[in-house]
Amino acid sequence: MPQLTKSAELFEKAKKFIPGGVNSPVRAFKSVGGTPVYMAKGSGAYLTDVDGNTYLDYVGSWGPFILGSMHPRITAALEYTLKNIGTSFGTPIEMEIEIAELLCKIVPSLEMVRMVNSGTEATMSAVRLARGYTGRDKIIKFEGCYHGHGDSFLIKAGSGALTLGAPDSPGVTKGTAMDTLNATYNDIDSVKLLVNENKGQIAAIIIEPVAGNTGVIPAKPGFLAALRELCDQEGIVLIFDEVMCGFRVALGGAQSLYGVTPDLTTMGKIIGGGLPVGAFGGKREIMERVAPLGDVYQAGTLSGNPLALTAGLETLKILIDENPYPELERKAVILEAGFSDNLKKLGLNYVQNRVGSMSCLFFTETPVVDYTTAVTADTKKHGKYFHSMLDQGIYLAPSQFEAMFISFMHTDEDLEKTIKANYNALVASGK
Ligand SMILES: *Cc1c(COP(=O)(O)O)cnc(C)c1O
């Protein structure tokens, strides 16, 4: 069992100066209990904490590390930029064109791209753009999908009245809540109902084409295509939020995997290679409305800075050069099959959802297809499972409703170790 003495000390101190001790809520371990682990170093698929314990990392900085931490090519590129270029100019730089051109080549729907500094910025900007373009105010999102912490997205489904959302956080105004409608993931009728009740008022439908923030929930066959058709009929801008699944489930994202083309795409995580980056882009006709070419305002002091773009560009180049996707799929299948065997041996029927190298083991026997079925998971059992895995040196996301990410750096030996730990942790969770 790893000792977390130093982590516990740091957490106590952090709580004095940082709300909840953390700069992003899930890091506080609230849903699994216990002390958050303070990491000191990352290398490949491994993390070392401040007490000297090492862990196999299945969080990957919440998605960016598809190539593991500190990939030598990315590190070298960053060093080069630091020494020879600089960290920021606030002027146009050549690298911006390079990454925009590359993104347009890789992601089917992109004709123009704007770089920003986070996924949240990307989704906020895409929604503003869709509103400006259509001249409409309302948007439809899906219950359980996460699009960052912009006001328009912190809206939960209202109780009773289907069409009225409610703020999901104090500080989000009722006015904002009125403009965001919640549909049910994988249920096209729920979307059609909202569209019909708000004829001519919906600017955009925004969706994670592989939902990754309620555990992992794949879109059912035909669901995304049905959304596309509905948006075409009604003049609604279809936004795929590929901040997590983009460059993860395939180089071209979920849209290339499923063959459905959105009007706008939001990106983040992997295209930052571990530095803060986001982007949004899509159809030329819509993107031409972005300032200064168009009238929809969007800006950023550090947007397109050379350091962040270097990490992103190098990541994309490695993904193109090495095509790690078949290998990631092979590894993900090994892990999934190993977990399945363990479940079978223990007479458990828990659900595993997976698309490529993102997966989730839900502590429920109910097939998970949307938010309602996801929350049937037994989070207490998951908490025990999480801590048993941690004790065995496997670092998972500290929440039932997060994805498990495999990186190119996980070896077959690492996977074997993880499968053994999974057996023990499943036993521990049952007690
Ligand atoms: C992580 C995430 C975001 C938010 O990105 P940040 O960089 O944390 O602001 C938005 N959408 C999806 C699908 C995400 O997974």
Side-chain angles (χ1 to χ4, degrees):
M1 277 251 259
Q3 292 294 312
L4 298 175
T5 320
K6 187 99 191 286
S7 277
E9 279 170 22
L10 289 176
F11 190 47
E12 283 313 305
K13 186 171 180 192
K15 282 191 279 191
K16 289 193 194 123
F17 301 106
I18 308 171
V22 292
N23 281 316
S24 199
V26 71
R27 299 179 195 168
F29 272 37
K30 267 193 142 172
S31 47
V32 292
T35 303
V37 185
Y38 278 73
M39 294 303 175
K41 189 173 163 46
S43 176
Y46 282 85
L47 295 168
T48 306
D49 73 12
V50 288
D51 288 289
N53 306 301
T54 60
Y55 307 86
L56 250 177
D57 177 21
Y58 286 100
V59 179
S61 191
W62 299 96
F65 286 151
I66 191 168
L67 298 165
S69 178
M70 303 289 283
H71 189 286
R73 265 181 71 178
I74 298 171
T75 311
L78 283 170
E79 277 170 1
Y80 179 87
T81 297
L82 267 179
K83 280 191 194 128
N84 302 289
I85 299 177
T87 58
S88 183
F89 302 109
T91 68
I93 57 172
E94 194 171 351
M95 215 185 284
E96 293 173 296
I97 313 169
E98 202 185 338
I99 197 163
E101 190 177 13
L102 193 58
L103 286 171
C104 290
K105 215 166 100 186
I106 296 174
V107 183
S109 68
L110 299 184
E111 292 175 344
M112 288 181 121
V113 197
R114 168 65 54 89
M115 300 306 296
V116 294
N117 304 290
S118 69
T120 295
E121 263 188 77
T123 54
M124 277 173 17
S125 308
V127 162
R128 181 183 306 135
L129 177 58
R131 284 176 167 150
Y133 175 75
T134 57
R136 303 171 179 177
D137 288 344
K138 293 183 182 175
I139 62 165
I140 294 177
K141 68 180 271 292
F142 293 85
E143 203 183 4
C145 281
Y146 180 69
H147 305 293
H149 66 94
D151 282 2
S152 299
F153 306 116
L154 298 183
I155 310 295
K156 60 185 171 208
S159 52
L162 178 69
T163 49
L164 278 186
D168 205 10
S169 161
V172 175
T173 65
K174 288 191 201 81
T176 303
M178 278 168 53
D179 285 333
T180 301
L181 312 171
N182 269 285
T184 305
Y185 203 84
N186 278 323
D187 178 357
I188 191 67
D189 289 338
S190 77
V191 189
K192 285 182 176 163
L193 195 61
L194 291 176
V195 169
N196 286 333
E197 285 182 355
N198 299 273
K199 267 276 180 225
Q201 298 176 61
I202 309 292
I205 295 178
I206 184 166
I207 186 167
E208 290 180 73
V210 176
N213 287 282
T214 323
V216 173
I217 306 176
K220 282 184 185 165
F223 178 59
L224 297 173
L227 284 180
R228 177 69 275 174
E229 197 182 320
L230 184 63
C231 286
D232 286 341
Q233 281 165 5
E234 303 288 336
I236 297 169
V237 175
L238 180 60
I239 307 173
F240 277 4
D241 181 357
E242 298 228 34
V243 170
M244 185 186 288
C245 58
F247 317 99
R248 163 67 64 180
V249 298
L251 182 62
Q255 57 193 270
S256 74
L257 190 67
Y258 298 126
V260 179
T261 307
D263 300 303
L264 293 177
T265 301
T266 54
M267 293 155 277
K269 298 196 169 110
I270 287 177
I271 48 158
L275 270 79
V277 177
F280 65 101
K283 268 196 185 140
R284 184 172 304 279
E285 186 190 325
I286 303 176
M287 289 302 290
E288 281 180 344
R289 291 290 297 273
V290 177
L293 182 58
D295 50 357
V296 177
Y297 193 68
Q298 193 281 324
T301 301
L302 291 169
S303 294
N305 73 81
L307 205 57
L309 292 197
T310 295
L313 253 180
E314 201 59 29
T315 301
L316 293 176
K317 286 178 187 169
I318 300 168
L319 293 176
I320 292 166
D321 291 348
E322 299 188 8
N323 183 23
Y325 299 96
E327 181 63 5
L328 282 167
E329 178 70 20
R330 186 188 69 80
K331 287 174 182 172
V333 166
I334 291 177
L335 207 59
E336 184 182 47
F339 286 13
S340 285
D341 277 353
N342 291 341
L343 290 168
K344 215 177 277 165
K345 277 184 214 153
L346 293 165
L348 298 167
N349 290 308
Y350 297 154
V351 172
Q352 287 193 82
N353 280 357
R354 179 180 75 81
V355 180
S357 57
M358 57 192 276
S359 65
C360 183
L361 169 62
F362 288 96
F363 284 74
T364 178
E365 299 188 352
T366 308
V368 176
V369 296
D370 56 18
Y371 177 77
T372 308
T373 45
V375 295
T376 62
D378 186 332
T379 53
K380 282 220 174 72
K381 280 191 177 153
H382 172 268
K384 287 182 187 168
Y385 172 79
F386 168 84
H387 278 290
S388 172
M389 290 296 267
L390 190 70
D391 289 347
Q392 298 175 78
I394 311 289
Y395 192 75
L396 303 175
S399 161
Q400 164 72 87
F401 304 111
E402 297 290 351
M404 179 177 189
F405 297 108
I406 297 178
S407 84
F408 197 51
M409 292 300 147
H410 286 93
T411 63
D412 286 12
E413 230 176 1
D414 293 334
L415 301 177
E416 270 322 301
K417 188 182 162 192
T418 308
I419 291 165
K420 280 195 187 123
N422 167 266
Y423 182 89
N424 298 333
L426 284 172
V427 172
S429 72
K431 280 187 292 197

